[in-house]
Amino acid sequence: MSRLVVVSNRVPSPHSEFRGTEGGLAIAIRDALEENGGIWFGWSGNITKSPLDQPDVVEIGKTTYATVDLSEQDYNEYYSGYANSVLWPLFHYRLDLTDFSRRDMAGYMNVNAAFATQLQSLLREDDVIWVHDYHFIPLCGYLRQAGCRNKIGFFLHIPWPPEELLLTLPNHESLVREMCTYDLIGFQTERDLSAFLGYVRKETNGKVRANGVVKAFGRKTLTGVFPISIDTAKVSELAEKADSRPRKPDLVEGVPKAKMIIGVDRLDYTKGLLERLEAYGHLLNSHTECQRNVVFVQIAPPSRSDLDSYQLISQQVESAVGHINGSFADFDWSPVRYLNRGFKRQTLLGFLRLSQVGLVTPLRDGMNLVAKEYVAAQSSEDPGVLVLSRFAGAAQELSGAILVNPYDIEGVSDALARALIMPLDERRERWEVMMKRLRQFDIVAWRESYLQALQGVMDAA
Ligand code: GDG
């Protein structure tokens, strides 16, 4: 049995208490590694003056955690620069926020080259390598240059942009060339895959076969759609546990009679927080019966806060929250509760279960796991309603949600009004459809289908 080697930007420290706060991806990776043994390789999260040229290796059970520190320059150029100020905004259709420089691009390439060298030192001949996300697009090319002949798969967690947007990236061609060094490229949705294939056909003269095999830049690569999911059973179990505790989360004790609408997002400009708040303000104005009877809880842990674009969205959200509370609050009712911090996983899932509406309205999102978690956290007796952006990858699967266009403020406000009074029968019907899907396609099914496809490439080779 081959060993699995997972590469992701951040590797949760095996020493930390990450087990309480980890998301679905971390759980899926950890389980996959614990089952068959393997390596989890990536950035430690530390910035040091002179990083070592050997990874820090810790073995726990069958898993080897191998982490690398970054220098401040690498962090600025690779992480804050090219990855998060070019690829992240561009791939989320925010061309206006991209800040390309050749220096940052070179830093991104250098870190990928250095990571490839360090990873190479840990590899065995028959290891299967699974690289995650936009931070590491060129990693495979560097491994190949160093003579690595292992099978290497890539999974993109964020959207792939349409050709016209990608063409604005000065190094678009070399980036796609790097993608094509992988044996398997996985996307979240058909939309992302077809955008990628569209570029390959038009810009590279590459050939795309019906079975998803791409022939471009003199190589063959398999492509496919693998929508990421959640540990459905575990999410339901944790949410139920949180709900059955004798002492309900404080959040609910403070608002015993009001209906709760909940949003949970990293504080990121892709998540549509300003538009969401505007839609909620519109609801309070247009449906005055909601005043005093509804509370909107927005949980938004800070993210990438050293970047200007994130500082700006943080100020804008605070100001929008202040504006709504200033306009509508009474001495015993605040319409918005804005919680700019993270919570333990079980607490968070308890909040989702106790909310009548899950409001998930990103302007663009690869998948959005919160949408799936909201559904899995509901009680079958009295499930809440998911109001979901059509621009989240999750909208392709969660057909029982009320789908909205997050730019249509009045439309989102109408959807909220509808969700708040939706009869139990309809809520149950919608929830059943979504739960059926999530039970069948959970995080294990995602992992297995990806690794099977990668195995298929190996067998065919
Ligand atoms: C990227 C893509 C894609 C949030 N606040 C707390 C907390 N969370 C957890 C959620 C969820 C995870 O973080 C966020 O996942 P999302 O999928 O919603 O969004 P991104 O972080 O942008 O993730 C996205 C994902 O990768 C996977 O492929 O779906 O499209 O952008 O699990 O519950 N967890 C805890 N406390 C919090 O306060 N414990």
Side-chain angles (χ1 to χ4, degrees), residues 157 188 228 266 271 342-343 345 365-369 373:
H157 289 258
Q188 299 270 29
I228 196 169
R266 278 184 307 100
K271 301 292 183 183
F343 289 85
R345 185 148 179 83
D365 218 329
M367 177 56 58
N368 197 300
L369 294 177
E373 289 163 355

Side-chain angles (χ1 to χ4, degrees), residues 48-151:
T48 40
K49 277 223 164 84
S50 31
L52 301 175
D53 50 13
Q54 284 295 315
D56 178 37
V57 175
V58 177
E59 283 186 30
I60 295 188
K62 288 188 192 169
T63 308
T64 303
Y65 293 82
T67 54
V68 179
D69 294 345
L70 289 178
S71 70
E72 196 162 346
Q73 184 183 348
D74 286 343
Y75 175 80
N76 289 335
E77 295 173 355
Y78 147 82
Y79 182 75
S80 294
Y82 192 79
N84 284 323
S85 299
V86 179
L87 295 181
W88 176 269
L90 179 65
F91 282 33
H92 287 90
Y93 299 51
R94 290 301 302 268
L95 188 50
D96 57 317
L97 295 179
T98 57
D99 184 15
F100 177 88
S101 75
R102 288 185 182 176
R103 190 201 55 203
D104 288 351
M105 184 183 73
Y108 175 79
M109 299 304 283
N110 289 340
V111 167
N112 271 271
F115 273 47
T117 307
Q118 299 214 25
L119 177 59
Q120 179 90 3
S121 68
L122 304 169
L123 291 178
R124 292 185 200 148
E125 236 174 48
D126 65 338
D127 284 343
V128 173
I129 306 171
W130 189 5
V131 179
H132 291 263
D133 234 0
Y134 59 101
H135 313 87
F136 289 127
I137 293 174
L139 192 79
C140 181
Y142 286 117
L143 287 169
R144 296 275 181 245
Q145 275 176 32
C148 169
R149 297 170 62 89
N150 301 57
K151 286 295 159 190

Side-chain angles (χ1 to χ4, degrees), residues 397-435:
E397 291 171 84
L398 300 179
S399 54
I402 303 185
L403 291 188
V404 292
N405 170 357
Y407 297 95
D408 176 7
I409 304 302
E410 289 155 313
V412 174
S413 161
D414 285 352
L416 283 174
R418 188 175 158 207
L420 285 163
I421 56 160
M422 188 178 281
L424 180 60
D425 283 356
E426 185 179 350
R427 283 189 276 130
R428 273 195 180 146
E429 218 171 280
R430 286 171 174 270
W431 179 79
E432 288 290 349
V433 176
M434 296 192 281
M435 264 315 262

Side-chain angles (χ1 to χ4, degrees), residues 23 60 106 133 163 197 238 286 301 388 416 423:
I60 295 188
D133 234 0
E163 185 201 353
L197 297 180
L238 285 175
S286 57
L388 175 62
L416 283 174

Side-chain angles (χ1 to χ4, degrees), residues 173 176-177 180 197-207 214-217:
E173 191 189 327
V176 177
R177 185 188 292 271
C180 292
L197 297 180
Y199 178 98
V200 168
R201 280 194 198 97
K202 286 191 212 140
E203 300 296 325
T204 73
N205 267 329
K207 298 273 175 292
V214 166
K215 278 180 90 175
F217 305 107

